[in-house]
């Protein structure tokens, strides 16, 4: 039977197959259930006692904008502190000096092992144990020194350093040992090797999780409300205490968090792209390049260009 | 140029080099052959202090590698001094070890700019000449990932030459290459030898050793078993161990 089929010549290209597709009833049911649940949630929220109309107005409220600004800069500063300290800790941890590596290990163990909220509160209340700050050249009452800003910066930044140091260490260790040898063989010192050869390559591994850490930081900074720092959540609560629109203000805050994290996700994409140089033959196109290419294809009905 | 006197090297309990004595003269192409694990690569890495020797003395250009002798005491050299010693010794690795985040040109200019303090313009000009010399003038702006193995190894040779070394070390430079790409790298090395570069080459390319080499050493199990002129050793090995090795690779 198959013989006749095999021997039959096929001068015309076979016509397109028109078969009855397999019915995926399960998918239909699952899709319907999910849509049903979404609709129910939507109905619930539209009937809820939420005054949606005031949300757009409060998005640009002065107090809220002030909170956004505080959230933004405490996140950036804490992240910077975490990054700098993290690199130092990573180098300490990998050094052959047993004292520095043990101290780095203990630091990471403590700051990663206790809740950030506790660390924030400890810094804020440090005046209870050290009423006077005496640095020799500088002396003042601790209450004057430990402002909400400083407590937030130390609490968030020192905690972040513990995480960043592990990320940096993983990045440095991911670089092939041959790179260090080649650099040494050219007469480059340890420091130059680290700066010019190892770190640029480690960045490819360090950047993605660091972006993650930063986006986490934007949100974790909300805990600083506990030390009276005027970040977004604190400000949202301040507003709601007068406007009595409690949930609406949390919505406003959430929208701002979403905007901030979205903006920084885009930044992260470009940063990753920059450090991908040399790791693959071609860099992935930026969203803008992708858009332009699609527009070009759309504009001309000729065949798409073969990408180089 | 290089003198080894009773060089020993141990990694923990593994005794890899068991007393190496040899001498490499200036302008000589010195080939090291032997089975894997015989210690030839380790010895090569000792010459620019990528490995510390455990006993014996190793001199490059008359000065001790990695140490300073004062009276009968040896002082370890500081990191900066070791780096300075390495400037004059170029090394080419089996796995190229090009810097992947830099273009071919940047790979070649990196050390002259960073170590010698050359200006960018000068370093770039020389790097172009060197890349031209290894036949890669059209690959100047490519990243290593965009080059074939043979091209990468030629960039690596140009990178080492950019420091104007007195001595070049080659650690199995063609072992990671496809057979058809071996020739282009050997051609560059042959060129270099004709220009009078002192070269120590760990290799499995017996043809190269025979044609280009001035002396050849057969190592096994951490000792020099046999040495002499490549053509004589390869054609008429004296030791049983050399005979059995050559019968397998020739």
């Amino acid at each position: 039977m198959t013989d006749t089929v095999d021997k039959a010549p096929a001068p015309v290209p076979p016509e397109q197959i028109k078969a009855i597709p397999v019915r995926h009833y399960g998918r239909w049911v699952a899709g319907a259930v999910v849509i049903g649940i979404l609709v129910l949630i939507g109905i619930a929220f539209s009937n809820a006692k939420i005054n949606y109309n005031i949300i757009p107005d409060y998005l640009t409220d002065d107090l809220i904008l002030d909170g956004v600004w505080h959230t933004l800069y405490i996140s950036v500063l804490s992240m910077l502190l975490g990054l700098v300290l993290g690199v130092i800790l990573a180098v300490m941890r990998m050094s052959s000096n047993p004292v520095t590596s043990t101290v780095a290990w203990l630091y990471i163990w403590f700051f990663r092992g206790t809740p950030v909220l506790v660390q924030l509160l400890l810094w804020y209340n440090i005046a209870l144990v050290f009423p006077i700050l005496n640095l020799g050249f500088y002396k003042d009452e601790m209450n004057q020194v430990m402002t909400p800003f400083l407590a937030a910066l130390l609490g968030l930044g020192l905690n972040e350093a513990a995480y960043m140091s592990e990320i940096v260490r993983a990045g440095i260790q991911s670089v092939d040992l041959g790179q260090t040898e080649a650099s040494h063989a050219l007469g480059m010192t340890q420091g130059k090797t680290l700066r010019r050869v190892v770190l640029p390559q480690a960045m490819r591994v360090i950047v993605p999780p660091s972006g993650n850490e930063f986006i986490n930081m934007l949100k974790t900074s909300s805990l600083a409300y506990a030390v009276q720092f005027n970040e977004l959540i604190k400000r949202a609560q301040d507003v709601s205490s007068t406007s009595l629109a409690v949930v609406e203000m949390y919505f406003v805050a959430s929208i701002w968090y979403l905007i901030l994290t979205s903006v920084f996700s885009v930044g992260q994409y470009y940063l990753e792209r920059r450090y991908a140089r040399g790791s693959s033959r071609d860099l992935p196109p930026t969203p803008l390049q992708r858009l332009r290419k699609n527009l070009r294809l759309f504009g001309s009905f000729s065949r798409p260009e073969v990408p180089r | 140029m290089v003198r080894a006197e009773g060089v020993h090297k141990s990694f923990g309990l593994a005794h890899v080099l068991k007393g190496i004595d040899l001498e490499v003269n200036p302008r000589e192409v010195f080939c090291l052959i032997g089975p894997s694990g015989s210690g030839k690569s380790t010895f090569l890495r000792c010459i620019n202090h990528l490995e510390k020797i455990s006993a014996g003395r190793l001199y490059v250009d008359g000065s001790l590698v990695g140490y300073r002798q004062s009276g009968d005491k040896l002082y370890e050299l500081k990191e900066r001094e070791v780096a300075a010693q390495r400037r004059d010794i170029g090394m080419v690795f089996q796995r190229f070890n090009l810097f992947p985040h830099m273009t071919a040109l940047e790979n070649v200019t990196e050390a002259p700019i960073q170590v010698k303090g050359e200006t960018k313009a000068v370093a770039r000009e020389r790097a172009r000449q060197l890349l031209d010399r290894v036949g890669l003038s059209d690959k100047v702006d490519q990243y290593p990932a965009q080059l074939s193995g043979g091209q990468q190894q030629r960039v690596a040779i140009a990178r080492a030459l950019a420091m104007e070394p007195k001595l070049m070390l080659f650690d199995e430079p063609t072992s990671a290459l496809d057979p058809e790409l071996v020739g282009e790298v050997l051609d560059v090395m042959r060129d270099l030898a004709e220009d009078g570069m002192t070269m120590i080459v760990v290799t499995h390319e017996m043809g190269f050793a025979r044609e280009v080499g001035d002396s050849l050493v057969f190592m096994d199990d951490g000792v020099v078993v046999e040495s002499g002129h490549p053509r004589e050793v390869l054609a008429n090995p004296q030791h049983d161990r050399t005979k059995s090795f050559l019968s397998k690779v020739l």
Side-chain angles (χ1 to χ4, degrees):
Chain A
M1 193 181 83
T2 49
D3 274 0
T4 52
V5 175
D6 280 350
K7 277 172 191 164
V12 258
E15 58 182 297
Q16 203 163 14
I17 294 172
K18 282 182 203 142
I20 314 290
V22 176
R23 304 277 185 218
H24 297 281
Y25 297 108
R27 290 185 195 169
W28 285 100
V29 174
V33 169
V34 170
I35 289 175
I37 292 172
L38 283 180
V39 167
L40 286 177
I41 293 175
I43 291 171
F45 268 93
S46 57
N47 292 334
K49 279 197 264 174
I50 297 173
N51 190 355
Y52 288 104
N53 297 327
I54 66 164
I55 291 179
D57 298 338
Y58 275 104
L59 268 181
T60 52
D61 181 90
D62 282 347
L63 272 183
I64 293 290
L65 287 182
D66 183 61
V68 171
W69 167 239
H70 277 74
T71 287
L72 196 59
Y73 86 69
I74 196 66
S75 302
V76 170
L77 290 180
S78 305
M79 197 66 198
L80 278 178
L81 180 63
L83 186 68
V84 171
L85 212 58
V87 172
I88 294 171
L89 281 169
V91 173
M92 279 172 72
R93 179 93 198 266
M94 286 184 294
S95 89
S96 34
N97 183 337
V99 177
T100 58
S101 68
T102 309
V103 168
W105 186 88
L106 280 171
Y107 181 98
I108 293 163
W109 172 77
F110 179 78
F111 282 90
R112 232 171 33 162
T114 53
V116 199
L117 185 56
V118 174
Q119 291 174 29
L120 282 164
L121 291 171
L122 282 176
W123 284 113
Y124 192 52
N125 293 307
I126 203 165
L128 297 179
V129 274
F130 302 111
I132 305 288
L133 176 70
N134 189 350
L135 295 173
F137 58 90
Y138 178 84
K139 197 173 169 194
D140 201 351
E141 278 189 42
M142 188 61 94
N143 268 330
Q144 299 296 311
V145 180
M146 195 51 69
T147 56
F149 164 74
L150 194 59
L153 180 67
L154 289 175
L156 295 171
L158 297 189
N159 180 263
E160 186 57 34
Y163 288 92
M164 282 309 298
S165 83
E166 290 294 272
I167 291 173
V168 171
R169 189 170 64 99
I172 289 176
Q173 286 177 341
S174 76
V175 178
D176 184 41
L177 208 64
Q179 294 289 314
T180 310
E181 287 188 348
S183 173
H184 283 170
L186 286 166
M188 289 171 61
T189 53
Q190 290 276 9
K192 281 218 166 100
T193 300
L194 188 68
R195 228 178 50 241
R196 300 283 311 171
V197 175
V198 176
L199 276 182
Q201 294 182 60
M203 286 307 274
R204 200 164 55 83
V205 176
I206 292 173
V207 166
S210 303
N212 238 4
E213 286 295 312
F214 183 70
I215 282 170
N216 230 340
M217 175 64 81
L218 280 170
K219 297 173 298 165
T220 311
S221 67
S222 61
L223 288 176
Y225 91 100
V227 296
Q228 306 304 312
F229 185 67
N230 287 327
E231 48 69 55
L232 189 47
I233 290 297
K234 171 97 178 347
R235 283 312 198 191
Q237 286 181 341
D238 290 350
V239 174
S240 64
S241 65
T242 53
S243 71
L244 300 177
V246 178
V247 175
E248 286 82 352
M249 286 311 120
Y250 288 136
F251 272 33
V252 166
S254 300
I255 290 169
W256 269 113
Y257 280 119
L258 281 172
I259 292 172
L260 290 178
T261 51
S262 306
V263 167
F264 281 99
S265 303
V266 173
Q268 185 187 0
Y269 178 86
Y270 279 92
L271 204 60
E272 276 177 36
R273 193 171 173 277
R274 175 177 154 74
Y275 283 108
R277 273 181 320 170
S279 65
S280 60
R281 272 154 221 266
D282 283 302
L283 287 177
T286 63
L288 213 67
Q289 286 170 342
R290 217 174 283 163
L291 186 73
R292 260 192 236 124
K293 191 179 141 206
N294 286 343
L295 283 178
R296 241 197 349 263
L297 290 183
F298 191 72
S300 68
F301 285 94
S302 58
R303 289 171 55 180
E305 291 171 46
V306 180
R308 269 177 297 137
Chain B
M1 181 65 89
V2 176
R3 196 166 82 246
E5 295 170 358
V7 170
H8 284 257
K9 171 71 190 172
S10 310
F11 294 101
L13 291 175
H15 202 172
V16 182
L17 298 178
K18 302 170 182 169
I20 304 284
D21 297 283
L22 51 79
E23 176 136 22
V24 180
N25 296 311
R27 304 175 71 81
E28 191 176 33
V29 176
F30 191 96
C31 296
L32 275 169
I33 63 168
S36 57
S38 59
K40 52 197 191 318
S41 283
T42 304
F43 178 68
L44 200 71
R45 293 158 57 82
C46 288
I47 295 175
N48 66 357
H49 210 52
L50 283 180
E51 307 286 357
K52 265 184 203 166
I53 60 175
S54 323
R57 294 285 186 276
L58 189 55
Y59 300 90
V60 171
D61 215 17
S63 49
L64 268 176
V65 175
Y67 300 93
R68 184 179 59 242
Q69 189 152 19
S70 165
D72 54 355
K73 280 208 177 97
L74 278 186
Y75 296 90
E76 257 185 69
L77 289 186
K78 290 189 194 117
E79 193 216 330
R80 205 162 280 282
E81 296 167 314
V82 172
Q85 277 192 336
R86 286 180 179 139
R87 279 192 211 181
D88 295 333
I89 306 173
M91 184 155 188
V92 174
F93 297 86
Q94 180 177 354
R95 314 239 20 196
F96 328 135
N97 294 351
L98 288 180
F99 305 135
H101 57 303
M102 300 181 191
T103 63
L105 191 78
E106 288 166 348
N107 263 282
V108 181
T109 57
E110 180 66 12
I113 293 174
Q114 293 295 324
V115 179
K116 279 191 179 171
E118 279 183 18
T119 62
K120 258 192 180 169
V122 172
R124 283 174 157 265
E125 179 53 34
R126 259 238 329 290
R128 276 180 205 283
Q129 286 169 11
L130 284 168
L131 286 172
D132 187 43
R133 180 171 170 191
V134 298
L136 292 172
S137 43
D138 55 333
K139 303 286 182 194
V140 169
D141 293 320
Q142 307 270 316
Y143 285 95
Q146 296 165 316
L147 301 173
S148 75
Q151 291 167 339
Q152 288 189 52
Q153 193 61 298
R154 286 186 281 154
V155 173
I157 294 174
R159 177 175 71 173
L161 290 176
M163 290 300 284
E164 296 175 315
K166 292 182 255 176
L167 167 70
M168 285 283 283
L169 309 175
F170 291 86
D171 189 2
E172 302 195 28
T174 57
S175 297
L177 296 177
D178 287 346
E180 55 177 342
L181 301 178
V182 168
E184 60 189 62
V185 172
L186 291 182
D187 285 345
V188 169
M189 291 169 61
R190 192 171 289 131
D191 248 30
L192 210 53
E194 277 165 18
D195 280 4
M197 175 64 76
T198 312
M199 295 160 64
I200 304 180
V201 187
V202 171
T203 188
H204 292 298
E205 297 292 328
M206 299 304 157
F208 176 83
R210 185 170 14 220
E211 283 170 49
V212 185
D214 298 307
S215 18
L216 181 137
V217 157
F218 173 72
M219 275 178 71
D220 189 25
D221 201 21
V223 293
V224 171
V225 176
E226 190 165 350
S227 60
H229 194 275
R231 241 162 273 161
E232 282 158 27
V233 178
L234 292 175
N236 189 17
Q238 300 300 309
H239 282 262
D240 289 343
R241 192 64 197 90
T242 320
K243 282 178 193 164
S244 82
F245 175 75
L246 289 176
S247 71
K248 281 174 201 148
V249 297
L250 282 181

